[in-house]
Amino acid sequence: MPRYVFLTGGNGFIGSHILAELLNNDFYVSCAVRTQAKGDKILEDFAAQKSQIDISVIPDIISPDAYNAALKRHPFEAVFHTASQFSSNAEGDKYQLYLKPAIEGTLNLLRTVKDHAPSVRRVIWTGSCASVIDYGDLVSVDHPRVYDEKDWNPITLEDVKQGSPSQAYIASKKFAEQGAWAFMEQEKPHFELVTLCPPATFGPLRHSISRIEDLNESNDRLWKYCFDSTEDAPMPYIPVHTYVDVRDLAKVQVQSMIVPEAANQRFIVCARQFSYQDICDILRSHFPELRKRTPLGRPSISSLPQGAYSVDNTKVREILGIEFRSLEETVLDTARYMLHVEQDENRTV
Ligand code: NDP
């Protein structure tokens, strides 16, 4: 008897790794995507396992009946929701682009599961450390902050009005997650909720791309800062001080469905603190051909400011039994992947 699960965003960076992990664990996965072409690409990318996949085309995740038919297709035991606007370069009205699909898309899905999918035991929702970290409190020499699952970013909707697209993204993750927990409290549905908050997520892609410019947002940053720069460029700094490997995140997702103690829990899914200096050191020592393209900085000296915040990952390790791979493994596998895409692209130009 097949075990059915429902997945949104399965054509994206993180979603396609979750799909791979689910298929490898013998689940039958129904993927919700915005167009048939995106669904066809999933079937091509997972050709060897396509008998375990079906596609539902849902062009607009906030339209009231959007998920009705898709969620009635099989007796699903779990729902994974990853679909959310991530690119901080997207242009347009910030509320419509980021907050509305994240907040209303989440509630729409939860409501439909409640009304039409009685077999679902658990919904696993992908959030972000953006909903945890206070970006106004990144560094404190006397008391560096160590964030955990009790923390929430204090960003307000008022901040979004004046702010950048990246603030709109941050707020979309916080308010969508808080909306999901409020739904659970008010509606007391038949299913449990798990929210997962990853930081910067790196790793080789599982879905296919043919050009470097098609990299997803987080790997694209890695590419621009570390593979497509110069030896004497200043070492980049971004206010995201922690990372996770996408393959570990995908394992966490599946564990979140299986482990009884994960029910109704929020997890920060973070491997450890990192700095771009650490990444550049690894790249420069393993790939001599990158030396002119990768900032040298100050080798072996973290480029994070003194007193930079970090994150406590005890809960995810202890409850979900996850061991995170090393930064070196993540960087080397990602580098091999990206250089391969670049080589193929150059060959076809
Ligand atoms: P991708 O951009 O690779 O994938 C995003 C997915 O969401 C795609 O399937 C995309 O579909 C779908 N999507 C975006 N907007 C909408 C919308 N309005 N309606 C329906 N589907 C939509 O991003 P990631 O895989 O990196 O991100 C997935 C999730 O992980 C997001 O929720 C993101 O916030 C979260 N996250 C990512 C991190 C990272 O470093 N990558 C870190 C922390 C959290 P389509 O192809 O049709 O656009």
Side-chain angles (χ1 to χ4, degrees), residues 211-223:
R211 302 171 312 173
I212 282 291
E213 69 176 81
D214 293 333
L215 282 172
N216 68 294
E217 180 80 15
S218 48
N219 279 316
D220 182 55
R221 262 182 227 155
L222 196 63
W223 174 263

Side-chain angles (χ1 to χ4, degrees), residues 11-39:
N11 63 315
F13 169 52
I14 293 174
S16 59
H17 277 276
I18 300 172
L19 175 57
E21 191 68 22
L22 287 165
L23 295 172
N24 293 342
N25 281 281
D26 296 328
F27 287 95
Y28 186 98
V29 188
S30 230
C31 293
V33 286
R34 285 202 264 197
T35 63
Q36 187 59 48
K38 291 180 189 212

Side-chain angles (χ1 to χ4, degrees), residues 38-54:
K38 291 180 189 212
D40 292 343
K41 183 156 177 296
I42 291 181
L43 296 173
E44 275 167 36
D45 287 346
F46 289 88
Q49 290 161 301
K50 72 177 181 188
S51 63
Q52 282 169 258
I53 305 174
D54 66 44

Side-chain angles (χ1 to χ4, degrees), residues 138-152:
L138 296 170
V139 175
S140 164
V141 177
D142 296 334
H143 300 287
R145 280 193 69 169
V146 180
Y147 288 89
D148 67 22
E149 283 81 359
K150 294 188 288 306
D151 292 307
W152 287 94

Side-chain angles (χ1 to χ4, degrees), residues 193-251:
L193 177 68
V194 182
T195 63
L196 302 176
C197 300
T201 306
F202 301 131
L205 269 54
R206 177 59 185 81
H207 64 290
S208 60
I209 59 168
S210 46
R211 302 171 312 173
I212 282 291
E213 69 176 81
D214 293 333
L215 282 172
N216 68 294
E217 180 80 15
S218 48
N219 279 316
D220 182 55
R221 262 182 227 155
L222 196 63
W223 174 263
K224 285 195 177 114
Y225 294 153
C226 305
F227 294 74
D228 196 23
S229 181
T230 56
E231 190 166 17
D232 57 1
M235 194 51 69
Y237 169 76
I238 59 165
V240 181
H241 300 173
T242 58
Y243 82 97
V244 69
D245 187 297
V246 67
R247 296 162 293 184
D248 294 337
L249 173 58
K251 280 203 169 64

Side-chain angles (χ1 to χ4, degrees), residues 183-307:
F183 176 93
M184 296 301 288
E185 186 65 33
Q186 285 153 19
E187 303 281 328
K188 310 228 173 327
H190 60 275
F191 56 86
E192 298 153 344
L193 177 68
V194 182
T195 63
L196 302 176
C197 300
T201 306
F202 301 131
L205 269 54
R206 177 59 185 81
H207 64 290
S208 60
I209 59 168
S210 46
R211 302 171 312 173
I212 282 291
E213 69 176 81
D214 293 333
L215 282 172
N216 68 294
E217 180 80 15
S218 48
N219 279 316
D220 182 55
R221 262 182 227 155
L222 196 63
W223 174 263
K224 285 195 177 114
Y225 294 153
C226 305
F227 294 74
D228 196 23
S229 181
T230 56
E231 190 166 17
D232 57 1
M235 194 51 69
Y237 169 76
I238 59 165
V240 181
H241 300 173
T242 58
Y243 82 97
V244 69
D245 187 297
V246 67
R247 296 162 293 184
D248 294 337
L249 173 58
K251 280 203 169 64
V252 166
Q253 298 261 357
V254 176
Q255 285 294 91
S256 298
M257 166 177 60
I258 294 168
V259 173
E261 293 75 18
N264 298 316
Q265 296 293 323
R266 180 186 202 213
F267 292 97
I268 296 181
V269 190
C270 153
R272 59 188 68 79
Q273 202 186 51
F274 80 107
S275 79
Y276 276 92
Q277 182 72 57
D278 304 329
I279 292 182
C280 291
D281 288 352
I282 295 169
L283 288 175
R284 292 176 61 86
S285 67
H286 285 80
F287 296 93
E289 70 270 32
L290 283 177
R291 291 216 175 137
K292 295 242 175 311
R293 301 163 51 175
T294 302
L296 171 63
R298 296 195 299 156
S300 308
I301 300 173
S302 168
S303 51
L304 287 179
Q306 212 195 340

Side-chain angles (χ1 to χ4, degrees), residues 116-186:
H116 297 294
S119 54
V120 171
R121 290 184 300 100
R122 215 169 257 188
V123 173
I124 297 94
W125 185 87
T126 302
S128 166
C129 268
S131 71
V132 176
I133 309 300
D134 176 356
Y135 291 96
D137 193 9
L138 296 170
V139 175
S140 164
V141 177
D142 296 334
H143 300 287
R145 280 193 69 169
V146 180
Y147 288 89
D148 67 22
E149 283 81 359
K150 294 188 288 306
D151 292 307
W152 287 94
N153 184 331
I155 193 166
T156 64
L157 288 174
E158 206 45 43
D159 296 331
V160 175
K161 285 191 191 143
Q162 335 293 339
S164 61
S166 107
Q167 274 168 306
Y169 167 72
I170 289 168
S172 79
K173 300 310 288 184
K174 170 183 167 175
F175 291 111
E177 187 181 2
Q178 289 189 335
W181 286 119
F183 176 93
M184 296 301 288
E185 186 65 33
Q186 285 153 19

